[in-house]
Amino acid sequence: MTVEDVFAIRNRGVVATGRVEAGTLRVGDTVHINGGPGITVAAIEQFRKQRDEVSAGENVGVLFKDIERTQINRGDVLTASGEAPPIESTTIIC
């Protein structure tokens, strides 16, 4: 999932919004921000409804309790355990 926006919610945690690109995401799963250390998904919300699981193609908000707002930014990539983040190409081919 590529992060579209990030919000800090007082007394709850940090929410990253974006679209699940592949696979499924469940509450309690461990994900990595840009291949860094793992963090646990505390909650998933979709259009103001709590979800336990979401699949590829769905736009969601993912709540994390164990990170600060400064640790995740727009454009960061969330991946499941064992997956490598995609490599961005800076080469322009004409």
Side-chain angles (χ1 to χ4, degrees), residues 58-74:
E58 297 185 83
N59 292 313
V60 297
V62 181
L63 175 71
F64 301 106
K65 292 187 176 183
D66 300 329
I67 65 171
E68 298 293 323
R69 167 63 187 90
T70 57
Q71 293 177 279
I72 187 167
N73 297 297
R74 181 184 172 130

Side-chain angles (χ1 to χ4, degrees), residues 39-54:
I39 56 173
T40 304
V41 174
I44 301 171
E45 190 170 304
Q46 183 179 38
F47 301 109
R48 299 186 185 261
K49 294 180 183 173
Q50 293 289 324
R51 300 284 305 268
D52 293 327
E53 178 179 307
V54 290

